[in-house]
Amino acid sequence: MSGDERKVVDTSGDFRYAVQDGQAVDGQWQSCRIVATNKRLVLATNDNRQAIAHSKIEVPDDPEALIPEDVGGSVTPLRVGDNVLLVDAGIDDFETEYCRATLQGEVILARDPAVVGGVVQDDTDWSKARFALDDDEVRLQFPGGGSTAFDIEDVGTIERSQSTVMGQSRRVIEVEHTDEQDRSVETHFSGMPHHTNALAALFTRVVEAREDDYELSEMESQVLMALYSGVSPFEMSDFVGISPDEVEEIYQRLLEMGAVDEVRTRTEVALNAQGRNMASEAMSGE
């Protein structure tokens, strides 16, 4: 490896191709050593060694659709041009670890904060930033010493858009989370295509892993949206027009859903990432 190449994943596993040159194939699994550095993915068997640059790999938006029905277990599909590579690594959530390898220490583009409390921050410009993900904390280091950090599990929603970034039309990944002042903010990410692809996959999987089957009643939706809009838990009864006891019952159901965190033993709760995601969905359905 070169001096600036760093190993992020080193494990044993298996791989095979499900698609080659655009055609589905019934490839044979091959045991290999799987190494992901900040530059490339390496699959090394006793007879061969494949080294694939991250810029040539795409993490699919719908990975399940690329896994053949007869393939079980924890398998990660990756697009490599017209090919689909299946990787069965001996670690939990190889996809997340691969995204970490793609992004770790890389210089991307970021606007932080791009939105605060739903208000677009027009005075926040795009800037280069060095990305790191360690101990489940996302950190951005900006030129001049500025930085920002947030817990990846605090991500509430993620949106994708296309926008002009530093004079070029680029894909933008919009990530909602809370800041040190407990405000709902958005950090916007952009950069090279393989960077935005990995960022989208990384944050999307975090949100999807937290989702469960839930169905909100109309009043539960109203309470969630009110919390999301900044209504105090103590003012909720008057705001939505129900009794304090009914509000307490709704808070309890939201606690059971994992949508809020209990702040005090009675009447006070605070939206968490799951709740902000649910409230956003409820507001979109209005």
Side-chain angles (χ1 to χ4, degrees):
M1 293 189 296
S2 62
D4 61 345
E5 187 170 6
R6 298 178 299 281
K7 190 185 300 181
V8 179
V9 176
D10 189 347
T11 187
S12 298
D14 304 282
F15 79 93
R16 59 160 279 200
Y17 282 92
V19 175
Q20 287 186 304
D21 298 325
Q23 301 295 319
V25 296
D26 187 16
Q28 297 296 311
W29 287 100
Q30 299 183 61
S31 296
C32 65
R33 180 185 177 192
I34 303 169
V35 177
T37 74
N38 59 320
K39 301 293 184 183
R40 54 191 171 165
L41 173 67
V42 179
L43 305 172
T45 67
N46 290 333
D47 304 318
N48 188 30
R49 180 176 179 275
Q50 297 185 54
I52 312 169
H54 293 316
S55 60
K56 297 182 178 180
I57 298 175
E58 177 186 350
V59 181
D61 291 335
D62 185 9
E64 296 297 327
L66 298 181
I67 301 175
E69 292 182 359
D70 61 339
V71 175
S74 179
V75 174
T76 300
L78 300 170
R79 289 188 183 276
V80 186
D82 292 332
N83 306 320
V84 174
L85 173 68
L86 304 180
V87 179
D88 188 356
I91 59 175
D92 293 334
D93 198 1
F94 175 72
E95 181 184 280
T96 295
E97 292 307 307
Y98 174 75
C99 291
R100 185 199 302 266
T102 303
L103 296 163
Q104 197 75 337
E106 291 292 285
V107 175
I108 61 171
L109 302 176
R111 281 187 69 209
D112 179 75
V115 178
V116 176
V119 180
V120 176
Q121 305 298 291
D122 292 325
D123 57 345
T124 303
D125 296 324
W126 285 96
S127 173
K128 292 182 179 180
R130 191 170 297 279
F131 182 97
L133 173 58
D134 293 306
D135 298 327
D136 294 327
E137 183 182 65
V138 174
R139 295 197 308 276
L140 296 174
Q141 187 70 44
F142 295 97
S147 65
T148 191
F150 59 90
D151 192 327
I152 195 169
E153 292 296 334
D154 188 48
V155 172
T157 61
I158 172 175
E159 300 290 342
R160 300 164 177 82
S161 63
Q162 196 76 19
S163 185
T164 300
V165 180
M166 292 187 167
Q168 295 186 33
S169 178
R170 298 178 186 265
R171 190 185 192 196
V172 175
I173 311 301
E174 304 170 2
V175 178
E176 187 274 341
H177 58 94
T178 54
D179 64 5
E180 293 178 350
Q181 301 176 51
D182 204 30
R183 301 176 300 178
S184 173
V185 302
E186 289 183 16
T187 300
H188 292 181
F189 298 87
S190 191
M192 301 292 289
H194 66 286
H195 289 151
T196 53
N197 172 250
L199 286 161
L202 179 69
F203 292 121
T204 297
R205 300 300 179 262
V206 169
V207 173
E208 289 179 345
R210 201 170 49 230
E211 290 179 349
D212 200 354
D213 293 332
Y214 54 80
E215 186 173 346
L216 295 172
S217 69
E218 181 177 349
M219 185 53 66
E220 287 167 351
S221 294
Q222 292 295 323
V223 170
L224 266 180
M225 288 187 287
L227 288 170
Y228 191 76
S229 301
V231 175
S232 165
F234 299 107
E235 301 170 347
M236 189 62 65
S237 176
D238 291 336
F239 188 84
V240 298
I242 59 177
S243 70
D245 285 344
E246 290 174 304
V247 170
E248 286 290 333
E249 291 177 4
I250 290 176
Y251 286 163
Q252 187 57 47
R253 289 198 292 273
L254 295 177
L255 280 165
E256 292 170 357
M257 291 180 192
V260 296
D261 297 322
E262 190 172 53
V263 179
R264 297 179 185 173
T265 56
R266 183 171 175 83
T267 68
E268 188 171 4
V269 296
L271 277 184
N272 53 30
Q274 171 78 338
R276 296 196 306 275
N277 179 264
M278 292 166 66
S280 179
E281 291 180 356
M283 294 172 77
S284 297
E286 286 290 293

